[in-house]
Amino acid sequence: MELLTPALQTYPWGSRTLLTEMRGEPSPSATPEAELWFGSHPAAPATIGGVGLDEVIADDPADQLGAQVRGRYGDSLPFLLKILAADSPLSIQAHPTAAQARAGYEGENAAGIALDAPERNYKDPNHKPELLVALTPFRALAGLRPAKQTLDFFDYLDCPELTRYSAMLHSENEEEGLRALFTTWISLPRPARVEVIEGVRACVDKRAFDGVPGWMREAGRCFVELDDAHPGDVGVLASLLLNFVELAPGEALFLGAGRLHAYLSGMAVEIMANSDNVLRGGLTTKHVDVPELVRITDFSTMADPRVDAEADGGVCAFDVPARDFHLTRYELAAGDGFDAASAGPAIVLCTSGSVDCGPLELNPGMAAWIPASDPDARVSAAGGSAGADVFYARVGE
């Protein structure tokens, strides 16, 4: 086992307190701290002894990855582990399938678009399914809400600016109706979009939201919050179509390819395929490619994006339909531990308490890299510790 030092990403939506306080550092931080990347993605690799994990793997892929992982994924780590800390909303976005990512990456390379160009959509040829597990109360918009529920919401708001679009959701084909409405809204000229948003805002402000399902009240509050932060933005309208989700610590959600989402606030552990491909649709100053986003979006609905995790005592396994990664959370009491050897590489991430990983002691926000060649890896609550929370990330089976 070796200490894995994360790459810090300082995006504007990040928190000045969540990551610093987790790591016991002075708070607030000088700049917003958004993500800690524990992986080998070339855009921001974690390091071992000052050397990028991507270089460590490239120097001896057989030792670091093992034959099984190399046979399936080549000479690269197939997952990226993060801690995400948001004080304000991220962009409304979706991620491509593997085939879409490969075609998009090759197409932009052929067009001569530099990897660091602001208009670049595809930074790598990989898909990006992602699993998020809350460390604090975590708020998100995740997946398209069933059309019937959205129509009920529109009816309750009784807003003429929405009524003129409701007919699209009465389509016999739910997916086509949602595609038509989303495409219409995201393509509106700004003056027309602002008119719709202002009309909806006036109706939301008038409603008491008494005697209606709680999700309607939260959807209304979210609309107002986004309108205050991003007035006139197309993402404010898009939020009316998405599930509002609030996760308690330990709860999780999973998003496969094409699922529209926007994380709003809170801190979480996130694991995904090793990719940085993002197609954005609003709530951002970054590049927005409307046609490409619509093309890769999955317009089927999700009643609830939460993951039913398999819990057994202090062990919680998050089984999701993604072979690139598997994540398990361990709540270790004093003296507890687990074997961390795997057929491939693994990462151990401490989020509370203190754990021993061979010669290393990990405190919150620290991680250890376990190469495939380490058959005796073990993790245990550190001596004298009252316990610890640990995430164990490895390649799926």
Side-chain angles (χ1 to χ4, degrees):
M1 293 188 182
E2 296 182 275
L3 182 66
L4 186 63
T5 302
L8 172 65
Q9 304 284 49
T10 56
Y11 307 135
W13 49 261
S15 170
R16 294 176 183 266
T17 59
L18 289 171
L19 290 176
T20 57
E21 291 175 3
M22 166 186 261
R23 294 178 292 176
E25 298 175 353
S27 179
S29 57
T31 58
E33 297 183 345
E35 295 179 340
L36 299 176
W37 285 27
F38 299 89
S40 64
H41 195 284
T47 58
I48 296 175
V51 179
L53 182 57
D54 53 342
E55 295 181 54
V56 171
I57 292 171
D59 284 345
D60 193 347
D63 181 79
Q64 299 295 325
L65 301 178
Q68 181 174 311
V69 171
R70 292 184 74 199
R72 192 193 307 172
Y73 297 103
D75 290 346
S76 62
L77 181 68
F79 65 81
L80 174 58
L81 183 69
K82 301 180 181 180
I83 300 178
L84 178 150
D87 261 359
S88 59
L90 284 68
S91 61
I92 284 188
Q93 59 188 254
H95 309 301
T97 65
Q100 289 167 342
R102 187 163 51 252
Y105 180 76
E106 293 173 355
E108 290 184 336
N109 283 349
I113 303 174
L115 276 176
D116 59 354
E119 70 273 19
R120 179 97 187 196
N121 289 323
Y122 296 96
K123 306 295 181 64
D124 52 66
N126 302 325
H127 65 163
K128 193 183 176 185
E130 58 190 41
L131 168 70
L132 180 143
V133 185
L135 296 175
T136 67
F138 193 92
R139 300 162 61 247
L141 297 171
L144 288 161
R145 187 190 307 116
K148 173 62 168 62
Q149 292 183 16
T150 296
L151 282 169
D152 290 343
F153 185 39
F154 287 7
D155 287 345
Y156 176 74
L157 293 178
D158 191 23
C159 179
E161 286 81 4
L162 288 179
T163 302
R164 73 179 67 159
Y165 296 104
S166 295
M168 296 183 190
L169 296 184
H170 285 288
S171 169
E172 293 182 3
N173 186 313
E174 182 182 55
E175 292 183 33
E176 289 306 313
L178 284 163
R179 179 188 296 274
L181 180 52
F182 180 77
T183 303
T184 298
W185 276 355
I186 204 170
S187 304
L188 284 175
R190 181 175 176 81
R193 183 170 70 240
V194 170
E195 179 184 349
V196 176
I197 291 172
E198 290 179 347
V200 176
R201 175 68 181 263
C203 293
V204 170
D205 286 344
K206 288 191 298 185
R207 297 292 174 263
F209 291 97
D210 293 331
V212 298
W215 68 262
M216 288 192 184
R217 180 174 58 256
E218 296 302 332
R221 287 176 179 171
C222 184
F223 178 88
V224 170
E225 176 186 342
L226 296 179
D227 186 38
D228 286 343
H230 299 273
D233 192 281
V234 66
V236 179
L237 274 183
S239 75
L240 295 171
L241 305 177
L242 299 174
N243 291 299
F244 177 87
V245 180
E246 185 160 12
L247 302 176
E251 290 187 321
L253 63 81
F254 174 76
L255 294 161
R259 296 295 190 179
L260 288 168
H261 60 283
Y263 298 145
L264 303 176
S265 65
M267 183 165 64
V269 169
E270 189 179 20
I271 189 168
M272 61 201 65
N274 190 26
S275 175
D276 195 29
N277 287 326
V278 180
L279 278 300
R280 300 176 182 87
L283 309 181
T284 182
T285 57
K286 293 183 178 180
H287 176 59
V288 173
D289 187 333
V290 170
E292 188 67 3
L293 174 64
V294 171
R295 189 182 73 83
I296 68 104
T297 294
D298 180 350
F299 286 97
S300 63
T301 60
M302 304 176 71
D304 191 344
R306 290 178 179 86
V307 174
D308 291 327
E310 297 181 6
D312 182 10
V315 181
C316 187
F318 301 94
D319 289 323
V320 296
R323 297 185 70 198
D324 308 71
F325 57 81
H326 187 276
L327 188 67
T328 306
R329 180 188 182 197
Y330 289 86
E331 297 178 81
L332 299 177
D336 284 351
F338 63 93
D339 291 329
S342 170
I347 296 173
V348 174
L349 171 63
C350 178
T351 56
S352 72
S354 180
V355 294
D356 289 328
C357 298
L360 303 175
E361 181 173 318
L362 302 183
N363 296 314
M366 298 174 65
W369 168 255
I370 307 174
S373 60
D374 187 347
D376 302 315
R378 183 168 176 79
V379 177
S380 58
S385 171
D389 285 348
V390 179
F391 287 84
Y392 175 59
R394 59 175 175 80
V395 181
E397 297 176 354

